[in-house]
Amino acid sequence: MPGDRLTNEDRQQIAAGLAEGLGYTEIGRRLGRPGSTIMREVTRNGGPDDYKAQRAQEATRQRARRHRQAKSPAPPVGDSSHGRDPRAVQDLTESFATLLEQQGMPRMTARVLACLYVTDSGTLTAAELVHRLNVSPASISQTVAFLEQQGLIKRERTPGGRRERYVVDDELWVRSTLAAVQQNDTLIAASQRAAQILGAATPAGARFGVAAEFLLLVNAPLRQVMEQWQQNQADRNARAPLSE
């Protein structure tokens, strides 16, 4: 199939085609593959005058073996400061990421957020995240962009301004809860409007009405929690100078 890796049989047919004096395009047509694929295969393995199917097959196996070795996972990176057991910290990071994933967060997003959250500083650069998670820079870039958009992390410059680092703080879950309240507000308004349009006495209209009623009940205590948290923070800030 086009796009699949070449098999030993494919390579036998390539060798036979070259022996017949066929061009790359014609060989590719017989195999159902682009001529460019055949050209790369032949060029990589001795050229048209020295191409041998078995030798090409063995060379491909060796390249694949080297690639797997190069991609072997890096050893776990854990925080050993404050006398911590690095293995225990690594296990904690992984279990917390799994919990976030089970609650609906994409796997890569959960891993990055957990990795940041267990650090004392709450900050890591992209290079540090790549090293700790053993993933590509592109994966980190896409994930932190999503987290930033959701208000779960912030982006700031390292001292000297040469690199960016990503930050989680004590307000992470506050922002997350506030976002949930705002999303519920949007759903409430949409559900109430739908009930009016469909007719509150109809089955479809009643369904939207029940949804709006439930979400209003959900949001009420969440707003109280947010207000209580703000009051707690204000009280804490007011007491701070007295303890210095």
Side-chain angles (χ1 to χ4, degrees), residues 52-234:
K52 298 291 187 295
Q54 190 57 43
R55 185 174 62 190
Q57 183 75 6
E58 181 57 31
T60 300
R61 287 199 194 97
Q62 291 178 358
R63 283 193 294 268
R65 193 177 300 116
R66 288 195 298 269
H67 181 72
R68 284 194 299 270
Q69 292 172 348
K71 288 290 186 178
S72 59
V77 177
D79 185 354
S80 60
S81 61
H82 302 285
R84 294 168 177 146
D85 177 358
R87 181 70 259 179
V89 175
Q90 182 68 19
D91 290 344
L92 168 64
T93 306
E94 292 173 358
S95 63
F96 189 59
T98 299
L99 175 62
L100 294 175
E101 187 180 357
Q102 290 172 344
Q103 294 186 354
M105 188 173 287
R107 175 167 172 73
M108 193 64 215
T109 305
R111 293 184 69 201
V112 169
L113 188 58
C115 193
L116 279 164
Y117 208 63
V118 301
T119 62
D120 286 308
S121 67
T123 67
L124 290 170
T125 65
E128 288 169 334
L129 285 167
V130 166
H131 177 62
R132 288 179 180 231
L133 298 175
N134 192 35
V135 295
S136 70
S139 296
I140 295 299
S141 178
Q142 294 171 1
T143 302
V144 296
F146 173 79
L147 285 167
E148 187 179 25
Q149 184 181 35
Q150 298 299 310
L152 295 174
I153 66 171
K154 297 184 292 185
R155 189 187 302 249
E156 65 180 29
R157 289 284 179 181
T158 58
R162 298 186 61 184
R163 291 185 298 174
E164 286 185 332
R165 62 185 178 188
Y166 309 108
V167 185
V168 294
D169 56 27
D170 295 341
E171 298 295 310
L172 185 157
W173 302 118
V174 176
R175 290 193 299 271
S176 178
T177 302
L178 178 59
V181 170
Q182 293 170 340
Q183 289 171 0
N184 285 344
D185 283 340
T186 302
L187 284 171
I188 290 167
S191 297
Q192 290 172 334
R193 181 170 181 273
Q196 290 176 349
I197 293 173
L198 296 170
T202 68
R207 188 179 304 122
F208 278 101
V210 168
E213 182 181 355
F214 174 76
L215 291 172
L216 279 167
L217 288 173
V218 169
N219 264 10
L222 286 177
R223 291 187 190 282
Q224 292 176 0
V225 168
M226 296 293 291
E227 291 173 2
Q228 183 62 56
W229 175 255
Q230 291 171 353
Q231 184 60 53
N232 290 351
Q233 290 295 90

